[in-house]
Structure formats: C-alpha cells, structure tokens
Amino acid sequence: MAYITQALLTALLELAADRDPSSVTVSLAVTPAAELGADLPPDRPVFTDMYLPDTGSSVRAVFGMDLSTPGAAGRFISHPNGTLALTKRDDLHETVFVAVPPYDTDSVGAFGRSGDGRPIDVLDIEPPDGTLGFPE
C-alpha cells in the first residue's frame, strides 16, 4: 500500500496537467504516520512533500549531479502518452506514482521497483509544519 496526502496528490496532478504534453518527474519525501496523527502504524511512511522538479538544474548542468533532492523516498512521473505503468525509462525508487491524462485521481497508479502495482490510500491529513529533514 502506498499512502499519500490528498494535498500532495492534487498538487502533483495539477503540475502534470500544466506540463502536458511534456512529462514531469518529481522527487517525493515521506513523513512517518506518527507525526501526522494518522490511524496507521507509527512508522508507516506517508508521502507528504515534493521537491520542485527544476530545483538544482544549474548544479546538474555544471557538475553532472543532482544535489537538490536529498534522500527522496519516491518519485512521481507523468506519462502524457497514456501508459499507466512503470517503464524501463522511469527512475526507479521503492515507490513510483505514475499519472496519465486527464490527470485526475482515477488516472494515477503506484508501482514498486519491479513494476508491480500497489494500491493507493489517499489521506485527507496535513503534514506538520517544518523542514524536510534539514537541520535548522
């Protein structure tokens, strides 16, 4: 099961629709369920935040590495061609969300590294205020 907040899923689908017909790839971060007050096991990861897809492009262009997405737990990818599956070209994380047109909640799927589908549970909860694991 892949857990994601309603707010994050809505933002990702809007981003994919705005970028169509180009695809978009976004790194995702998780928050333990205990920090969200979710009715889940306390250590269960819930996708709550995203790293903006264009962040760090200057560093990547000069040094050839992406320093903008530390410790991403998952990935969101849009497939404007309509393929609701993980492809060999997709960046494989433990969990990858794939969305296709018309970019609504019925046109998104979650997949594991091997391409196996996973059920999605969309949670109507808010992540805590704070940073994404960066020391203050």
Side-chain angles (χ1 to χ4, degrees):
M1 178 75 68
Y3 298 94
I4 188 169
T5 63
Q6 179 66 55
L8 177 59
L9 183 58
T10 299
L12 292 168
L13 292 171
E14 287 175 2
L15 180 61
D18 288 346
R19 295 280 178 101
D20 193 272
S22 296
S23 65
V24 66
T25 300
V26 180
S27 295
L28 304 176
V30 295
T31 302
E35 293 181 31
L36 300 171
D39 189 23
L40 297 169
D43 61 343
R44 185 68 42 99
V46 177
F47 288 93
T48 55
D49 298 286
M50 68 176 166
Y51 297 99
L52 297 176
D54 296 327
T55 304
S57 57
S58 309
V59 173
R60 187 171 36 253
V62 174
F63 297 105
M65 64 181 85
D66 186 358
L67 301 176
S68 64
T69 55
R75 181 86 58 191
F76 171 85
I77 300 170
S78 67
H79 286 171
N81 65 1
T83 304
L84 186 56
L86 204 57
T87 68
K88 290 181 181 179
R89 299 183 68 195
D90 295 330
D91 185 7
L92 302 179
H93 276 71
E94 184 175 339
T95 302
V96 179
F97 294 90
V98 177
V100 297
Y103 304 113
D104 58 23
T105 54
D106 293 329
S107 60
V108 65
F111 301 90
R113 280 191 180 109
S114 64
D116 57 316
R118 294 183 177 173
I120 300 173
D121 191 357
V122 180
L123 306 174
D124 192 15
I125 54 177
E126 294 292 323
D129 291 335
T131 62
L132 295 174
F134 298 108
E136 295 188 26

